[in-house]
Amino acid sequence: MEPRNQTSVSEFLLLGFSQDSEHQPILFGLFLSMYLVTVLGNLLIILAVSSDSYLHTPMYFFLSNLSFADICFTSTTVPKMLVNIQTQSKSITYAGCIAQMYFFMVFGGMDTFLLTVMAYDRFVAICHPLHYTVIMNLWLCGLLVLVSWFISLSYSLIQSLLMLRLSFCTNWVIPHFYCELAQALMLACSDTLVNHILQYMVTGLLGIVPFSGILFSYSRIASSILRIPSANGKYKTFSTCASHLSVVSLFYGTGLGVYLSSDASSWRGMIASLMYTVVTPMLNPFIYSLRNRDIKRALQKVLRITLCVQ
């Protein structure tokens, strides 16, 4: 069978979660609710941080960037999935598929880097409290975020450009609810060696290196907490990083579930991907707001202002 050139590819088909039309209204309502909660929750975090001068600190600066990245991360997959469910269509254009891959990698990478930067922030705050304001100055915070954006945008662009050079056979069916890179590579008829090498390198860049940095930061944090003599002091110190530790555990736990799935296109693999791409960004605002008095107070202030305006 002669492979078709990529210029002849007009669309891919996303099989999604269910082929049964009876399940579509339930899936549409479920995913729409989750998406709205994700967007609203993360927007409230951004508004709370930006409107309260008390929260204009490095930790909350990174948190607001994480909330923005989470909104964009979820928005790369869920809206298209909702449109396909509503229109009972499973198609996505070739350009739309490449764009979805690109933005998925960009914002997924940003989540990873921001969580690592936030771990470093907590390390400096707990292990070097007297030098915290000097080390975590405005210039360094901005630089860390800009470098994170640069790396994420760069490797995502390279991976997307490498996808454009591939030829695809007549089978354009992706057994997933979004254009997953590994699934798309399996459909290619041309040589994908370079793509796979880059994919493994990116997995190391976004997985092993940031996670090692987080582990190092928290090992030093744990060592510092254990040296505190009083139990109350240990509890107060640990509470300053408990929310971030919960988010890291959720993010890497679900991400690990995706990569350990024997078949990403199986029901178990898609559930793991759903937890990673939708559920985790939805839960992050709740984790930070429920465990953080400052965020609670700022959110109450935002809600009061909103009610007064109405």
Side-chain angles (χ1 to χ4, degrees):
M1 182 182 295
E2 289 296 326
R4 297 187 184 182
N5 189 269
Q6 68 268 27
T7 55
S8 66
V9 179
S10 59
E11 63 181 22
F12 290 97
L13 296 179
L14 303 175
L15 294 186
F17 283 95
S18 175
Q19 308 291 327
D20 193 342
S21 59
E22 294 181 357
H23 296 159
Q24 301 306 308
I26 299 174
L27 291 174
F28 181 83
L30 176 63
F31 290 128
L32 178 61
S33 301
M34 295 172 69
Y35 180 64
L36 292 177
V37 170
T38 301
V39 173
L40 180 60
N42 283 286
L43 276 178
L44 285 174
I45 293 292
I46 295 172
L47 288 173
V49 173
S50 60
S51 63
D52 193 335
S53 59
Y54 185 76
L55 299 182
H56 292 175
T57 62
M59 180 177 70
Y60 296 113
F61 170 71
F62 296 135
L63 176 59
S64 61
N65 277 273
L66 179 65
S67 293
F68 174 75
D70 279 342
I71 292 174
C72 297
F73 187 46
T74 306
S75 297
T76 61
T77 57
V78 178
K80 178 57 181 174
M81 180 169 54
L82 292 174
V83 170
N84 283 3
I85 293 175
Q86 185 67 19
T87 60
Q88 296 185 352
S89 169
K90 297 183 180 299
S91 65
I92 182 171
T93 63
Y94 175 76
C97 187
I98 298 297
Q100 190 178 69
M101 288 182 193
Y102 172 74
F103 288 111
F104 184 88
M105 288 185 286
V106 168
F107 297 114
M110 278 303 297
D111 270 4
T112 304
F113 289 127
L114 286 171
L115 288 174
T116 307
V117 169
M118 293 171 76
Y120 175 71
D121 172 77
R122 292 298 83 204
F123 158 70
V124 176
I126 294 174
C127 299
H128 305 283
L130 298 179
H131 302 94
Y132 177 73
T133 55
V134 176
I135 297 175
M136 299 303 296
N137 55 69
L138 181 62
W139 183 86
L140 179 62
C141 293
L143 180 63
L144 289 172
V145 173
L146 286 175
V147 169
S148 299
W149 276 112
F150 177 76
I151 296 175
S152 298
L153 290 168
S154 298
Y155 82 77
S156 300
L157 180 61
I158 294 172
Q159 187 68 273
S160 299
L161 291 176
L162 286 176
M163 284 295 298
L164 292 174
R165 72 180 181 85
L166 298 179
S167 303
F168 291 90
C169 301
T170 55
N171 179 21
W172 300 336
V173 177
I174 298 178
H176 219 297
F177 65 91
Y178 68 97
C179 282
E180 205 265 335
L181 176 63
Q183 294 294 320
L185 287 176
M186 291 175 64
L187 303 180
C189 294
S190 52
D191 184 21
T192 59
L193 177 62
V194 177
N195 299 74
H196 281 106
I197 291 175
L198 180 61
Q199 186 180 12
Y200 296 141
M201 292 175 60
V202 169
T203 300
L205 175 66
L206 297 185
I208 299 174
V209 175
F211 189 63
S212 299
I214 292 173
L215 287 179
F216 172 78
S217 297
Y218 273 103
S219 65
R220 297 295 300 273
I221 289 172
S223 177
S224 297
I225 291 176
L226 291 175
R227 288 199 296 267
I228 298 175
S230 67
N232 187 47
K234 290 179 181 178
Y235 174 78
K236 287 184 177 180
T237 304
F238 177 75
S239 64
T240 62
C241 56
S243 296
H244 177 260
L245 188 59
S246 301
V247 171
V248 167
S249 301
L250 183 63
F251 182 82
Y252 277 97
T254 54
L256 189 63
V258 173
Y259 287 102
L260 290 182
S261 298
S262 57
D263 183 5
S265 63
S266 66
W267 180 259
R268 181 185 300 176
M270 283 195 285
I271 292 296
S273 296
L274 179 68
M275 293 290 295
Y276 177 71
T277 59
V278 181
V279 176
T280 298
M282 180 184 70
L283 294 180
N284 285 353
F286 292 99
I287 294 173
Y288 275 102
S289 60
L290 292 176
R291 301 182 64 91
N292 192 302
R293 293 180 181 178
D294 296 332
I295 290 291
K296 282 183 181 179
R297 177 179 51 79
L299 286 174
Q300 291 171 356
K301 180 180 176 182
V302 170
L303 292 175
R304 281 198 302 268
I305 293 174
T306 302
L307 292 174
C308 290
V309 170
Q310 292 178 348

